[in-house]
Amino acid sequence: MSAKRSFACWFSVTISFTLVLTLAEGRAQNSPASTPPPQPATRPAPTPEQLAIQVASEKEHQREMDALGITELRSGAEGDANSPHAANYDEAKADIYPKTPDPLLLNNGKPVTTAKMWWSKRRPEIVELFDREIYGRTPANLPKVTWEVASTVHEKNGDVPVITKTLVGHVDNSADPKITVNIDLTLTTPENAKGPVPVIMELGLSKEFLAMMAKRFPQFAAMAGNGPTWQQQVLARGWGYAEYIPTTVQPDNGAGLTEGIIGLANKGQPRKLDDWGALKAWAWGASRCLDYFETDKDVDAKQVGIEGHSRYGKASVVAMAYDPRFAIGYISSSGEAGAKLYRHIFGEQVGNVAGTPEYHWMAGNFLKYAGPLTPGDLPVDANELVALCAPRPVFISGGATNGDGWVDAKGMFLAAAGAGPVYRLLGKKDMGTTTFPPIETSLIDGDVAFRQHTGGHTPGPNWPTFLTFASRYLHATTTAATGPGVAIMPEGTKVGAPVYLTGDQDRERMLALLGLKDSEMRHRPAGDAKAPDATNYDESKADVFPQIPDPMLLKSGQRVTTPQQWWSARRPEIIADFEREILGKAPANLPKVTWEVVKATPEKYGGFDVISKRLVGHVDNSIDPQIQVNIQMVLTTPAHSAGPVPIIIELAFDPDFQDAIATPVSEVVPVGPGHYGIEFEPLLKRGWGFAVLSPTSFQADDGSGLTAGIIGLMNKGQPRRPADWGTLRAWAWGASRTMDYFETDKAVNAKQVGLEGHSRFGKAALVAMAFDQRFAVVYSSSSGEGGAKLYRHIFGEQMPNVAGPALYHWFDGKFLRYGGPLTAGDLPVDNHELIALCAPRPVFIGGGASTGDGYADPSGDAWADAKGMFLAEVDAGPVYRLLGAHDLGTTNFPPMGTALINGDLGFRQHQFGHTPAPNWPTFLDFASKYLHSK
């Protein structure tokens, strides 16, 4: 290893937290091999003390290799794509060692079939193997720790009054007075708590160190993020938080193995090959913090969770595995030596962990597996480490491959899946799948949880999901009252606290309120045309319910003949039907949203000078401070326009929103699963601007999120009633709040603001257009069932699908009936009337080819039913004509690729799959009739 590379590796270790260099230099080693790594930031020159630590670390490393009889170790993976040792980021090459140890197979080959066998036989076997080969043995008779409350401060974190105690754990060093070990811990609890509270403890860096790094690298402060901190999110649930500094227990370098608690236990002598390493020592320190919590009346010590990121994610899962008192774990980007399978050869490898910069984390014996032995020779793997946590809940987290690939999100998922059999044996639930999910998918319905976010090497994006998961387990022990019409809450839920229900639990609860059971719901047809239970893709069989509600017929039977009758009588009737039966009614007195321009950046986009504003809409949560809601948006306008400009708002999927907030701004629209972005440069060429809104920033896209977000805030964290609004209406509400902001921004012509949304967000865009008359034009792409498609046109997706567990939250509770005893023919309205609510303003509906279902066969978009959407537009035509606007101009379904854009209703079916992109130019031509820049 060259001196330059040796120091670079050593420096990354001495800072104790890989996130620091992540921010400082873009974490080159995390970039996929196909992506050129960014140029590293200039590093400060090492001090003499640092050089001495490096030399001592290398000397101890060599001593342990000599003791093992090893002359050479395999090189670890490198971030340089041109290196002969470049890290593998090709999933097809990752499974070199496909046989993973079975956690339910005893060493003698007998299967473990009972919980008693697990606890008495198999678990001790696994612990012994981890102790001997990987993490090392914790010494017996370790010294006592005496805790001192150094200070107590009454302060505020955000708006929450808190009590913060600074604590020092003095470790008895009578065995070797030359070595002093003091554990740094701070504990913060809500000042107004009525009793002991759950606590989340983070393994992290000292405030002094973070301040020093922020001063040395000013970009840290700029990249710290917006919105509530993790501590504030914890306080919002009525819990406390603690911050423990592991390096006060054991230094994070090999030279320190004769110092800290490891050195103290060995009286300053070098460790034996099966002695513990730093990860086990840091976990020991976490357990001593838990000892203190058991003495503090402000803490419910039976409800203490542990969280750590990167190397501290490794230490956190070790602590969780070895100390059954920890109630729950958030294991973030722990990678190799943490929750990642050693046998999954992707990103960081055994050779990295066994190398000079990191070997001190492990037992000396671990070095063998980077020398004569391989990961395939390990007697255990990380699936068994996760299994040692069972039956307690564990949340495993990682970032995108391009940003956090070094830690191998899939390898961690596979370990979590491999621990599932143990959780099931002990009466708990696994993740519910062994198939690696799309990015941003929250697998939190079981007791082993997983989510890969779209960010880099950071725990931040997954904190809200973890806290939602954790709220199933952490709470006070007051039982809530129930009664007719009152939501049934999980046993032990604190009165007034936000309730956590999984999507399945919430749907079951709602069905019960409606007097239904899931067994009474109609079968949900499959999208795959080749499946035995496939949905209908035969147009000749689609018109099961030919009678379509007449938008021009009052409920009294009288015909609507004037615009005044439409506005005063018929339109309110249709709105009432949609609110009562389908979308739900938005609550009265919704909270105020205060918009903050977090950052305004002059930049270039496709050769155009623009101003990009990063905006956050802070929703007033005074009715329930435990629930925080923020609307996230980016607005980009031409820098040199003569006046306010038209705007198109994209309701964006999370990956597309993350691309929109990337710095520098990305001008390339990514493609692939989860990406449905559109090209913005054509807007700038027209002199318009654009905005990108994240609907899931203010209302999650799953049933478990209905007690959070804006819906949860309005219900004060309690489950909704059958008539309450669903997610589509909530997303539309958020779009309207962006319009409130645009009305205050002098760069925007708020009378010329259009909407674009695809798929589920195509539904939301159409709902926003229907319910807020300020929007000037809309492009609803492939919105299908629940959007622009007639429910009565039985083709592609059907009502039982959108009333099923995965999608029911889009609608009000009453809508479930139409996936059960009632049918589409029983609906008092249909989606031609949703389009009619937009009249006389222009609506453009787009869809893909009907030759592929869009899922099993992604070449088409039949699931969204282009003809069903066309027919809905045709049937909205009479309302447009009544109000003096133009309809489609035909009632005949046009040939594919035909653009119907001469009227105020527009339609085009493109020849591709489930994507908005092919129809985007046609929509812009259509919108240009209505939107004009100066």
Side-chain angles (χ1 to χ4, degrees):
M1 181 183 292
S2 70
K4 181 178 179 182
R5 176 166 168 72
S6 178
F7 173 69
C9 293
W10 168 83
F11 181 83
S12 72
V13 174
T14 61
I15 63 174
S16 299
F17 202 39
T18 49
L19 179 57
V20 173
L21 284 185
T22 301
L23 299 178
E25 60 183 71
R27 192 169 176 87
Q29 69 266 40
N30 277 353
S31 300
S34 59
T35 305
Q39 292 299 311
T42 302
R43 299 178 186 274
T47 65
E49 180 186 10
Q50 291 168 341
L51 287 171
I53 291 173
Q54 178 191 353
V55 170
S57 295
E58 291 173 347
K59 183 178 179 180
E60 171 59 19
H61 187 254
Q62 186 61 52
R63 186 193 71 82
E64 295 184 12
M65 286 179 61
D66 292 343
L68 289 165
I70 297 173
T71 58
E72 186 178 7
L73 297 180
R74 292 191 307 279
S75 175
E78 296 184 10
D80 182 358
N82 297 316
S83 166
H85 307 296
N88 173 50
Y89 290 109
D90 182 349
E91 186 57 46
K93 300 176 182 177
D95 290 327
I96 296 174
Y97 308 103
K99 189 165 179 58
T100 303
D102 187 340
L104 291 180
L105 197 65
L106 292 170
N107 288 344
N108 64 12
K110 279 190 179 182
V112 177
T113 56
T114 67
K116 182 178 179 182
M117 286 180 71
W118 167 258
W119 292 112
S120 65
K121 295 183 179 180
R122 183 55 178 153
R123 192 180 194 279
E125 285 182 349
I126 293 172
V127 168
E128 165 61 20
L129 292 170
F130 273 110
D131 281 351
R132 189 184 72 223
E133 300 297 312
I134 297 183
Y135 297 119
R137 302 183 191 281
T138 304
N141 304 315
L142 279 161
K144 179 183 177 183
V145 177
T146 303
W147 283 96
E148 172 195 359
V149 180
S151 69
T152 302
V153 178
H154 295 257
E155 57 186 353
K156 279 192 171 185
N157 189 334
D159 296 328
V160 180
V162 297
I163 300 171
T164 298
K165 296 171 187 170
T166 300
L167 298 138
V168 181
H170 301 286
V171 181
D172 178 8
N173 67 339
S174 56
D176 191 341
K178 299 189 299 299
I179 299 174
T180 301
V181 182
N182 292 309
I183 306 173
D184 280 4
L185 174 69
T186 58
L187 169 66
T188 300
T189 53
E191 186 166 14
N192 300 324
K194 303 302 182 186
V197 297
V199 166
I200 302 293
M201 179 174 72
E202 179 180 69
L203 280 62
L205 299 167
S206 70
K207 291 175 180 168
E208 294 77 15
F209 182 84
L210 289 172
M212 181 269 289
M213 293 306 297
K215 184 176 181 181
R216 180 172 290 180
F217 299 104
Q219 63 267 44
F220 285 176
M223 296 176 71
N226 306 299
T229 63
W230 74 264
Q231 295 94 334
Q232 290 166 343
Q233 294 177 62
V234 167
L235 288 172
R237 293 178 182 270
W239 307 343
Y241 61 88
E243 296 170 270
Y244 151 55
I245 313 303
T247 51
T248 60
V249 169
Q250 183 61 42
D252 189 12
N253 55 66
L257 289 171
T258 53
E259 302 169 8
I261 187 60
I262 296 176
L264 180 59
N266 287 331
K267 299 182 181 180
Q269 298 305 304
R271 66 176 181 169
K272 299 186 291 294
L273 293 175
D274 64 347
D275 275 357
W276 54 342
L279 293 181
K280 201 87 175 290
W282 292 338
W284 173 85
S287 290
R288 303 294 69 79
C289 296
L290 193 45
D291 294 344
Y292 169 77
F293 296 145
E294 290 178 333
T295 71
D296 192 311
K297 63 181 176 58
D298 294 330
V299 178
D300 183 345
K302 293 189 183 303
Q303 298 194 70
V304 173
I306 189 167
E307 179 269 339
H309 174 71
S310 199
R311 63 196 65 191
Y312 295 153
K314 307 178 203 293
S316 293
V317 71
V318 171
M320 186 81 179
Y322 279 85
D323 191 334
R325 296 177 297 168
F326 286 110
I328 191 169
Y330 174 13
I331 314 304
S332 171
S333 296
S334 59
E336 196 83 346
K340 169 193 182 302
L341 287 178
Y342 294 102
R343 287 166 168 82
H344 194 249
I345 309 302
F346 190 103
E348 188 175 23
Q349 297 304 307
V350 166
N352 298 93
V353 179
T356 304
E358 301 176 1
Y359 76 99
H360 57 279
W361 295 344
M362 321 297 283
N365 278 334
F366 182 78
L367 273 61
K368 298 180 296 185
Y369 298 97
L373 302 179
T374 71
D377 297 309
L378 280 164
V380 282
D381 212 318
N383 60 317
E384 292 167 299
L385 182 65
V386 178
L388 292 180
C389 304
R392 293 161 296 143
V394 176
F395 178 86
I396 294 177
S397 160
T401 299
N402 189 3
D404 202 23
W406 190 248
V407 306
D408 183 12
K410 185 170 182 180
M412 294 188 289
F413 167 83
L414 292 172
V422 177
Y423 275 80
R424 294 195 301 272
L425 179 74
L426 300 180
K428 297 296 181 179
K429 291 180 66 177
D430 60 16
M431 288 189 297
T433 182
T434 57
T435 302
F436 188 53
I439 196 165
E440 298 278 352
T441 301
S442 299
L443 300 178
I444 58 173
D445 288 348
D447 299 291
V448 187
F450 175 84
R451 185 173 187 267
Q452 181 188 25
H453 61 72
T454 53
H457 191 62
T458 167
N462 273 346
W463 264 109
T465 307
F466 165 68
L467 292 176
T468 298
F469 174 68
S471 65
R472 290 165 48 194
Y473 306 95
L474 306 184
H475 43 66
T477 53
T478 304
T479 302
T482 60
V486 178
I488 301 168
M489 296 183 287
E491 182 181 354
T493 299
K494 179 180 177 182
V495 174
V499 173
Y500 176 83
L501 297 172
T502 66
D504 286 342
Q505 289 171 333
D506 180 71
R507 183 171 175 272
E508 182 181 1
R509 179 194 64 86
M510 186 62 72
L511 286 170
L513 291 174
L514 296 168
L516 296 173
K517 296 179 181 178
D518 194 47
S519 59
E520 299 172 303
M521 302 297 283
R522 296 198 307 283
H523 172 73
R524 295 184 292 277
D528 184 353
K530 297 178 182 177
D533 58 346
T535 191
N536 174 52
Y537 290 118
D538 183 345
E539 186 58 47
S540 67
K541 300 176 181 177
D543 290 327
V544 178
F545 306 103
Q547 188 70 29
I548 305 295
D550 189 339
M552 304 287 285
L553 195 66
L554 291 166
K555 290 189 180 292
S556 65
Q558 221 180 333
R559 291 209 65 78
V560 175
T561 57
T562 68
Q564 183 182 1
Q565 280 185 295
W566 167 256
W567 292 111
S568 64
R570 183 57 179 145
R571 192 177 192 275
E573 285 182 347
I574 294 172
I575 287 175
D577 282 338
F578 271 105
E579 289 187 330
R580 186 181 66 250
E581 300 297 313
I582 299 177
L583 298 170
K585 190 173 177 64
N589 303 315
L590 277 155
K592 180 183 177 184
V593 177
T594 303
W595 283 95
E596 173 191 4
V597 180
V598 176
K599 188 178 182 182
T601 307
E603 55 189 342
K604 287 276 190 183
Y605 191 102
F608 293 90
D609 293 324
V610 298
I611 305 291
S612 291
K613 295 174 184 172
R614 181 81 164 82
L615 295 147
V616 177
H618 302 286
V619 181
D620 178 8
N621 69 337
S622 55
I623 63 169
D624 191 342
Q626 298 177 89
I627 299 175
Q628 297 197 23
V629 184
N630 292 306
I631 304 172
Q632 303 284 345
M633 179 174 68
V634 178
L635 169 65
T636 300
T637 52
H640 308 302
S641 60
V645 299
I647 292 291
I648 300 292
I649 311 170
E650 178 193 14
L651 277 61
F653 285 80
D654 285 346
D656 295 318
F657 183 74
Q658 293 301 321
D659 292 330
I661 63 175
T663 303
V665 64
S666 173
E667 298 173 16
V668 178
V669 179
V671 295
H675 287 282
Y676 300 103
I678 47 178
E679 295 280 356
F680 293 123
E681 189 174 343
L683 297 172
L684 297 172
K685 287 179 179 177
R686 286 172 163 81
W688 305 351
F690 59 89
V692 183
L693 170 68
S694 171
T696 56
S697 65
F698 51 90
Q699 187 60 52
D701 186 18
D702 59 74
S704 65
L706 289 170
T707 54
I710 185 61
I711 295 176
L713 178 62
M714 296 311 297
N715 287 331
K716 299 182 180 179
Q718 303 308 300
R720 62 179 185 161
R721 295 172 295 276
D724 282 354
W725 55 340
T727 305
L728 291 180
R729 193 78 192 276
W731 290 337
W733 168 84
S736 290
R737 302 295 69 78
T738 68
M739 181 63 92
D740 297 343
Y741 168 77
F742 294 143
E743 290 177 334
T744 70
D745 192 315
K746 63 181 182 179
V748 177
N749 182 347
K751 294 189 182 303
Q752 296 195 54
V753 174
L755 287 162
E756 183 274 339
H758 174 70
S759 197
R760 63 199 61 193
F761 296 139
K763 307 178 204 293
L766 190 60
V767 171
M769 183 78 172
F771 282 83
D772 189 335
Q773 297 182 55
R774 295 176 296 172
F775 290 111
V777 65
V778 67
Y779 171 20
S780 177
S781 169
S782 298
S783 56
E785 195 84 344
K789 168 191 182 303
L790 288 177
Y791 290 109
R792 287 167 168 83
H793 194 251
I794 309 303
F795 188 102
E797 190 172 24
Q798 298 179 31
M799 295 189 79
N801 297 103
V802 290
L807 309 176
Y808 78 98
H809 56 278
W810 293 346
F811 305 91
D812 67 9
K814 290 183 177 181
F815 183 78
L816 284 166
R817 297 173 300 160
Y818 295 95
L822 302 179
T823 69
D826 296 308
L827 277 168
V829 283
D830 212 319
N831 284 326
H832 63 301
E833 292 169 299
L834 183 65
I835 297 170
L837 292 179
C838 304
R841 292 161 298 143
V843 172
F844 180 84
I845 306 293
S850 301
T851 52
D853 63 358
Y855 294 89
D857 179 1
S859 65
D861 196 25
W863 188 247
D865 185 11
K867 184 168 184 180
M869 295 188 287
F870 168 81
L871 292 172
E873 277 199 281
V874 168
D875 290 326
V879 177
Y880 273 77
R881 294 195 300 271
L882 177 75
L883 299 181
H886 296 283
D887 60 16
L888 280 173
T890 183
T891 59
N892 295 320
F893 189 54
M896 190 157 51
T898 303
L900 302 177
I901 56 172
N902 291 330
D904 298 294
L905 288 169
F907 176 85
R908 185 175 184 268
Q909 181 188 26
H910 63 71
Q911 62 184 358
F912 302 100
H914 191 62
T915 169
N919 278 340
W920 181 238
T922 306
F923 165 69
L924 294 180
D925 290 342
F926 176 73
S928 294
K929 299 191 299 181
Y930 309 95
L931 307 183
H932 309 284
S933 58
K934 292 186 178 180

